[in-house]
Amino acid sequence: QLQASGGGLVQAGGSLRLSCAASGRTFSSQAISWFRQAPGKEREFVAVINWSVGTTYYADSVKGRFTISRDNAKNTVYLQMNSLKPEDTAVYFCAARGTFDSVIMSDRAYAYWGQETQVTVSS
C-alpha cells in the first residue's frame, strides 16, 4: 500500500512537500514515482527514485524545482516542490514498480498506486 499526503493550496513561488509512505508488498519495489494529472489532461510523469541506490529522474517541466528523496528507515518517499507555478496545479499520485528499468516514466508500468493528493498553486 502507498499512502500519499502533503498536498494543499499555496501561492505561486511557494513550496510544498509531498510524502508517500510504503507498506506491505510495496516494500520490495525498486522504483517509486510521482505522477500528476491536471484537469482535462492526461496523467504525466513527474519524478522517480530508485529505492535502493537513490538514482533519480525528473520531467523537464520540474527539473531544478522539485526534488525526490527517500527515507529508508521510514519507508517513505518525498517530493519537495519549490518555486511552484500555477501550471503545477494537479492531483498528484505516488506509484511503485518492482523494477527500475526503461519504462519507469510510463504510468502503465506501475502496479501499485497511492490515493491522490491535491496541489493547487494560485497566481
Side-chain angles (χ1 to χ4, degrees), residues 9 21 24-25 34 37 41-42 52 59 65-66 70 101 108 110 121:
L9 172 63
R25 294 184 64 180
W34 288 96
Q37 187 167 21
K41 294 187 177 181
E42 293 187 352
S52 296
R65 299 187 298 121
F66 290 11
R70 87 253 195 243
D101 53 17
R108 298 179 182 180
Y110 289 81
V121 184

Side-chain angles (χ1 to χ4, degrees), residues 67-81:
T67 302
I68 189 170
S69 62
R70 87 253 195 243
D71 184 330
N72 294 67
K74 295 182 178 180
N75 294 317
T76 299
V77 169
Y78 302 99
L79 184 69
Q80 179 67 43
M81 305 185 294

Side-chain angles (χ1 to χ4, degrees), residues 23-53:
S23 62
R25 294 184 64 180
T26 55
F27 273 166
S28 62
S29 299
Q30 286 300 304
I32 308 293
S33 291
W34 288 96
F35 290 83
R36 67 185 182 186
Q37 187 167 21
K41 294 187 177 181
E42 293 187 352
R43 189 161 52 189
E44 64 174 359
F45 168 79
V46 176
V48 62
I49 189 165
N50 182 305
W51 186 259
S52 296
V53 300

Side-chain angles (χ1 to χ4, degrees), residues 4 14 31 35 77 91 112 123:
F35 290 83
V77 169
V91 291
Y112 304 103
S123 57

